[in-house]
Amino acid sequence: MEIERKYKIETLPDGYENFPSRMIEQAYLCTDPVVRVRRDGDEYYMTYKSHGLLAREEYNLPLNETAYLHLLEKADGIILSKRRYRIPIEGTALTIELDIFERDYQGLILAEVEFPTEEEALAFTPPAWFGRDVTFTGEYQNSKLSKGLQKIN
């Protein structure tokens, strides 16, 4: 089960570039249900996600590079590319995944935080630099972004 909150970021926090980061490329074979392929650094996955906004089932299956590239050719829509920074939230076991998009969504910045329970997710108070909470609108789900339907401003 994946339980996460998502926020649109307008201003990057000082020092974000000092945290570990990696490039992620992902594309969607289907968006209902969500079936995605992803290159995350040197690792490759195919992921199934159920419907949902705050919480949903998620299953990851490992791929090799050859399989990833083969499936990537079958993807619909935009191939998303982003640099993900992992920023620990001081005093907690939580980590911010700060995604700075490139290519078609250059300038879009989103932050996600995963939680062990829905109760903790709903009680979360985001850092001051977080922007609008877009968790429950679904407008910035990557599967929707892959369709090219979202304006970034």
Side-chain angles (χ1 to χ4, degrees):
M1 178 71 69
E2 175 187 62
I3 304 167
E4 69 182 10
R5 300 276 301 265
K6 183 178 286 200
Y7 299 84
K8 190 163 186 289
I9 305 300
E10 301 299 335
T11 305
L12 289 166
D14 290 337
Y16 76 91
E17 65 278 354
N18 296 324
F19 291 94
S21 72
R22 62 194 188 277
M23 286 302 300
I24 295 175
E25 176 183 77
Q26 62 191 43
Y28 291 80
L29 303 174
C30 184
T31 58
D32 189 16
V34 171
V35 179
R36 146 189 107 197
V37 292
R38 174 184 271 183
R39 177 188 353 221
D40 186 346
D42 295 330
E43 297 181 354
Y44 304 89
Y45 300 94
M46 182 166 55
T47 301
Y48 166 86
K49 290 187 176 196
S50 67
H51 291 281
L53 296 173
L54 176 68
R56 57 190 182 163
E57 295 292 324
E58 178 180 280
Y59 303 96
N60 290 307
L61 300 170
L63 296 173
N64 60 34
E65 182 178 18
T66 301
Y68 169 78
L69 293 172
H70 176 76
L71 291 168
L72 189 65
E73 291 177 10
K74 297 169 181 353
D76 293 329
I78 296 170
I79 297 171
L80 302 177
S81 179
K82 57 191 176 182
R83 176 160 292 280
R84 173 168 287 172
Y85 292 86
R86 293 185 46 82
I87 304 171
I89 299 177
E90 241 178 85
T92 75
L94 303 173
T95 300
I96 299 164
E97 293 182 334
L98 179 67
D99 291 340
I100 300 176
F101 286 76
E102 299 183 353
R103 297 189 205 158
D104 294 274
Y105 285 106
Q106 182 81 34
L108 176 62
I109 306 168
L110 299 172
E112 297 176 349
V113 180
E114 279 198 40
F115 300 89
T117 68
E118 288 187 42
E119 293 75 23
E120 289 178 65
L122 293 170
F124 178 66
T125 301
W129 57 271
F130 274 31
R132 182 167 62 96
D133 184 342
V134 296
T135 304
F136 299 102
T137 67
E139 64 188 303
Y140 287 97
Q141 286 183 320
N142 286 304
S143 58
K144 287 190 180 171
L145 293 175
S146 74
K147 295 178 179 182
L149 301 176
Q150 189 54 258
K151 302 284 186 208
I152 62 169
N153 296 325

